[in-house]
Amino acid sequence: QEQPVESGGGSVQPGGSLRLACTSPGFVSDYCRVDWYRQPIGKPREWVSGLVNDGDTGYADSVKGRFTISEDTAKDTVYLQMNSLTPQDTAMYSCVIALPLDPGDCQRFKLYWGQGTQVTVSS
């Protein structure tokens, strides 16, 4: 029940845009952070972007200036807006939420991974 669910993936041409969504009941709680990862077929998983519960955000150098992470608390959803997509962005995109083992203590947490949504960028 804490596992997030991703949506919004698809196939687009280079230069196109997509907005991914990550929804989880865990956002109702005082979560530690939410992150987006991606994994091309046959390659290691790569960190893309993250959002800390105090509002701080971060991005991998490969997507900085093109991707934007945001939160809609009313919908228990975190978004990843992806612009100026290239074939190198093709991957399975997953979100993960970190929840504290004890309320208010993010020194110890548990990760809940979604199953991912596929993004394909090609001509």
Side-chain angles (χ1 to χ4, degrees):
Q1 56 273 26
E2 300 290 356
Q3 184 180 32
V5 178
E6 303 96 334
S7 62
S11 182
V12 298
Q13 293 183 320
S17 298
L18 286 173
R19 189 178 73 164
L20 307 183
C22 173
T23 302
S24 172
F27 294 135
V28 177
S29 305
D30 191 14
Y31 65 91
C32 297
R33 61 182 293 153
V34 179
D35 293 89
W36 285 95
Y37 285 81
R38 66 185 183 186
Q39 185 171 27
I41 297 176
K43 296 183 178 180
R45 186 178 63 210
E46 174 191 24
W47 179 78
V48 175
S49 181
L51 172 66
V52 183
N53 202 12
D54 64 2
D56 287 346
T57 60
Y59 301 91
D61 288 341
S62 58
V63 306
K64 194 173 300 181
R66 299 187 298 120
F67 290 12
T68 303
I69 190 170
S70 62
E71 179 183 17
D72 187 340
T73 56
K75 298 182 179 180
D76 296 332
T77 301
V78 169
Y79 298 99
L80 184 67
Q81 178 67 46
M82 307 186 298
N83 298 325
S84 302
L85 288 165
T86 75
Q88 288 68 45
D89 296 316
T90 296
M92 181 71 72
Y93 284 72
S94 301
C95 69
V96 55
I97 180 172
L99 299 177
L101 296 183
D102 300 305
D105 183 11
C106 281
Q107 296 186 64
R108 299 173 66 248
F109 55 88
K110 183 176 181 179
L111 299 177
Y112 295 87
W113 288 87
Q115 291 196 302
T117 184
Q118 178 67 38
V119 172
T120 302
V121 186
S122 66
S123 299

